[in-house]
Amino acid sequence: KQEERERLGAVDLAVLAEYRRLEERHRFLARQAADLESAQATLSRLVADVERLMEERLKNALETVNAQLQPVFSSLFGGGRAWLEPREPGRLLEGGLELAVQLPGKRLPNLALLSGGEKALASIAVLFALLLVKPSPFCLLDEIDASLDEANVTRFARFLRELASKQQFIVVSHRASTVEVADSVYGLTMEEEGVSK
């Protein structure tokens, strides 16, 4: 036993002070870790609350827009119906939205099967429904009617005229039916390449 004690060597009295210093450091870091875990739990709860609130607001906004979209679509297409719906009903925030349309007198088609003009007019209906829900001081529409056939341009222009009683629109267009409903018309020419006047 004496031999074993001698092999241990002299007692280092500084070890006790070092132990106390390390123990205090451990307590400090343990408190910091507990604070971080508590903050993480609080943040997780806050994120869940915000996501729930966002989903609720998006759902309400979707219902409001759909209520406006139906009459707008029907007016632009002369009947039919349209609505926005979540791609993944259980995941409203992550799944995105799809536009579903039923043209007058037709079965419910896949949106991809619509003509370019029909797709454009359906998109215009969504835009106008959004503007009815959340009007802006003015709206700039650049060649929005370019892909529409003449009958649809006429319906678009008529509906645009109705909306113009509530908001101001600036429309860039080459279509006569659209230009005819304007209160003011400004013409641009390009006599010289790259120079408008």
Side-chain angles (χ1 to χ4, degrees), residues 39-49:
Q40 182 182 16
T42 301
L43 284 174
S44 294
R45 281 192 308 274
L46 286 173
V47 166
D49 289 347

Side-chain angles (χ1 to χ4, degrees), residues 77 99 111-124:
F77 278 90
L99 175 62
L111 199 59
L113 300 177
L114 298 178
S115 70
E118 290 169 334
K119 287 178 190 174
L121 196 57
S123 299
I124 290 169

